[in-house]
Amino acid sequence: MRDTDLREAADLIDRAGRIVIFTGAGVSAESGIPTFRDAPSGLWEQFDPRRLATPEAFGDDPALVWGWYEWRRAAVQQVEPNPGHRALAAIEQRAPECVVVTQNVDDLHERAGSKEPIHLHGSLFAPRCSACGRPATVANGAPAVEGRVPPPPCDHCGAPIRPGVVWFGEALPVDAFEAAVAAAANCDLLITVGTSAVVFPAAEIPQVTARMGGAVIQVNPEPTPLDAVARVNLHGTAAEVLPALVEAV
Ligand code: BV8
Ligand code: ZN
C-alpha cells in the first residue's frame, strides 16, 4: 500500500461531509469469521454456501440449514470485532454524517460501536417464523457444533423458525435497500471494505456513489470489479489498513 494512496484517502475522509461505509465478509475475516469465498470447513465443506443460503435448501433440509446458521451464530458470539471494525466506528464518530451499510449478518459493527448499521442481507440475531413471520427468540451462547439441528416451531402457528437473513432469490428488505441507495447517492465519499462486489443488488451501492460523482475508496487485498470506480485502492487487509487510515486523517 503506497503512502501517497493512504495520504490521498485520508484527505478525502478529512474533507468529506457525508460518508457511507460499505462492508462485506472481508471486514470480519480477521475476527475469525470465514468469508463466503473461504472454503467452508467440516460438515459444510461439501456444500456451496450459495446453495445453502436459499429458501429451496431450507425447504429440502431445514435441519441442515438451521444447523448451519446456528453454527455461524455461535461462532460470531465467540469472536470479537477487530481493529478494522473499530477504525470504521472511529471514522463514523468523527464524520459530520456517516452511515454503515453492510452485507454481513454478524453483529460485529454494532459491538465495535457503530450506530445502527443498515443490514442489507439481514442478521443472524433476528430469527422469525417461516410462515407467519412473527419474530422468534432462540437461546444464546450455544457452542458452535457442526450438525443438523431441527429448527424450533413457531410459538404462534407451529411452523419452523427460519434465520432472519436474506437468502439468494429473496428480495432485500425494501426500507434498508432504499435507505442505502439514498445514502450512497447523497454522500461525498463511500469507503468499501472487504467485499468482492459480485452479489446484487448490494454491489450496486458503490456504483451509485460513483455515478453521482462521489469519491470511492476501496480497501481489499484482492482486485474486485470496484477497482474501476475507486478513486483510491488500498490493497491490504481491514485490520491493517483502516487503523493506519485513521492515524493519517
Ligand atoms: C434477489 C445473507 C430477486 C445470507 C447473502 C444481477 C446479476 C447477476 C445475479 C443477480 C442479479 N440480481 C440478482 C441476482 C441473483 C443473486 C446474485 O447476486 N447472485 C450472484 C452470486 C451472482 N442475488 C440475489 O439472489 C438477491 N436477491 O435478487 O432477489 C428478487 C427481487 C424481488 C422479489 C423477489 C426476488 C439476494 C442476495 C443476498 C443473498 N444473501 N447473505 C447468509 O449470509 O447466509 S449474500 C452473501 O454473499 C453476503 O451477505 C455477501 O453479500 C455475499 C458475499 O460477498 P462478500 O461479502 O463480498 O464476501 P466474499 O466472500 O464474496 O468476498 C470477500 C472479499 O473480502 C474478497 O474480495 C476478499 O478479497 C476480501 N477480503 C478477504 N479478507 C479480507 C478482505 N478484505 C479486507 N480485509 C481482509 N482481511
Ligand atoms: Zn408462525
Side-chain angles (χ1 to χ4, degrees):
M1 179 181 56
R2 293 178 310 183
D3 273 2
T4 48
D5 291 336
L6 197 67
R7 194 56 273 143
E8 188 180 352
D11 289 347
L12 285 168
I13 292 173
D14 215 21
R15 289 200 306 272
R18 281 191 292 266
I19 298 178
V20 168
I21 291 170
F22 180 71
T23 66
V27 77
S28 295
E30 290 157 289
S31 292
I33 303 297
T35 70
F36 264 64
R37 288 159 167 253
D38 295 338
S41 57
L43 168 67
W44 322 118
E45 208 156 340
Q46 52 199 289
F47 303 99
D48 168 0
R50 290 200 180 137
R51 289 179 50 64
L52 272 176
T54 63
E56 295 74 26
F58 187 68
D60 300 347
D61 190 341
L64 178 74
V65 173
W66 182 256
W68 185 47
Y69 282 97
E70 280 298 270
W71 179 75
R72 291 172 61 187
R73 185 169 70 92
V76 167
Q77 290 174 311
Q78 283 155 16
V79 301
E80 292 302 322
N82 65 60
H85 295 107
R86 299 191 194 291
L88 292 173
I91 291 171
E92 182 186 352
Q93 206 117 52
R94 72 179 298 287
E97 265 181 71
C98 182
V99 61
V100 174
V101 175
T102 188
Q103 300 165 80
N104 300 344
V105 292
D106 64 47
D107 63 347
L108 297 175
H109 281 304
E110 287 89 340
R111 287 159 55 191
S114 282
K115 301 276 172 295
E116 293 157 25
I118 296 174
H119 284 269
L120 292 176
H121 296 160
S123 161
L124 291 168
F125 304 93
R128 65 176 190 270
C129 174
S130 58
C132 72
R134 279 180 174 75
T137 47
V138 284
N140 274 336
V145 289
E146 293 170 17
R148 283 179 167 72
V149 181
C154 166
D155 298 344
H156 183 76
C157 74
I161 298 299
R162 59 160 287 170
V165 301
V166 179
W167 281 328
F168 287 97
E170 291 186 323
L172 275 56
V174 176
D175 309 351
F177 186 61
E178 285 180 355
V181 170
N186 299 310
C187 72
D188 313 302
L189 173 64
L190 180 142
I191 306 171
T192 175
V193 182
T195 185
S196 57
V198 296
V199 171
F200 288 82
E204 274 300 319
I205 301 289
Q207 307 282 357
V208 169
T209 299
R211 274 201 300 275
M212 300 299 283
V216 173
I217 295 171
Q218 175 172 230
V219 178
N220 196 314
E222 308 291 329
T224 78
L226 296 175
D227 283 46
V229 299
R231 179 90 55 84
V232 185
N233 277 297
L234 301 175
H235 293 300
T237 72
E240 283 161 9
V241 169
L242 294 168
L245 194 49
V246 169
E247 273 306 300
V249 172

